[in-house]
Amino acid sequence: GQGVRVFAPGEGTIEGTALVGGLYAGFNGQAGSLVYGAEADIEYSGFNQSEPCDNPVWTCNGYIDVQGSVRARLGYAVDTLLFYGTAGVAMANAGGSTTSPGGVEFPDSSVRIGYTVGAGIEMALDENWIGRVEYRYTNLGARDMAFDIVYPDVEATSHAVRAGIAYKF
């Protein structure tokens, strides 16, 4: 699951949770107990939240629909467990809208680029299958968004807990 926060300075905050699902792939190298590698993922995010704007007769909406990352990983292996940290570049299609009392919608969206950092634990289930649990914080930066007016420096951030399964070649 993913907890998302969209913040427009002086206008308010849209917060909510969503399910996230996707695919990841990467490679690892190992030197003794030290494991290093790189990984990429692409995911669908179900975050789409509407709330009253600061002017409560208007409705504000924020969403993230597709997101991904390219990250480095560094970890320490203990028997069948791997404890790791990860960091890299995050991308997402993020947007939203304002809707007037008369139902006129003013949308804006863009592909945002930011960063993601996190940590996780992997467990070898057998020779080829690996299970994991991972936490990541993602910051997609701030940008001006043109809805009914220009809202400066609208930020998009998220906290996510992911569970996954992988096949090791």
Side-chain angles (χ1 to χ4, degrees):
Q2 179 180 42
V4 177
R5 178 178 184 261
V6 178
F7 173 67
E11 295 298 325
T13 301
I14 298 172
E15 293 182 296
T17 60
L19 289 177
V20 176
L23 301 171
Y24 66 94
F27 65 88
N28 289 323
Q30 190 165 353
S33 293
L34 184 68
V35 177
Y36 53 89
E39 191 169 276
D41 59 49
I42 186 161
E43 302 168 328
Y44 165 79
S45 170
F47 178 74
N48 189 333
Q49 184 80 28
S50 294
E51 296 181 10
C53 298
D54 277 3
N55 178 349
V57 297
W58 283 71
T59 301
C60 289
N61 171 263
Y63 68 84
I64 296 175
D65 53 9
V66 177
Q67 61 191 20
S69 70
V70 176
R71 296 169 283 105
R73 291 191 338 145
L74 182 62
Y76 187 79
V78 179
D79 195 29
T80 62
L81 297 176
L82 172 66
F83 301 90
Y84 66 91
T86 186
V89 176
M91 299 139 291
N93 185 52
S97 64
T98 55
T99 304
S100 73
V104 178
E105 184 178 17
F106 299 90
D108 189 10
S109 68
S110 67
V111 173
R112 291 179 174 228
I113 298 175
Y115 68 91
T116 187
V117 295
I121 301 171
E122 286 185 346
M123 180 178 172
L125 304 173
D126 67 17
E127 286 290 315
N128 297 101
W129 290 98
I130 300 168
R132 80 157 50 158
V133 175
E134 178 181 90
Y135 162 80
R136 283 205 332 246
Y137 168 77
T138 302
N139 185 318
L140 296 170
R143 73 173 278 277
D144 295 352
M145 298 193 78
F147 300 127
D148 55 306
I149 60 171
V150 174
Y151 293 79
D153 298 323
V154 177
E155 299 173 357
T157 60
S158 69
H159 296 270
V161 175
R162 294 168 166 83
I165 191 162
Y167 185 81
K168 178 179 155 185
F169 295 97

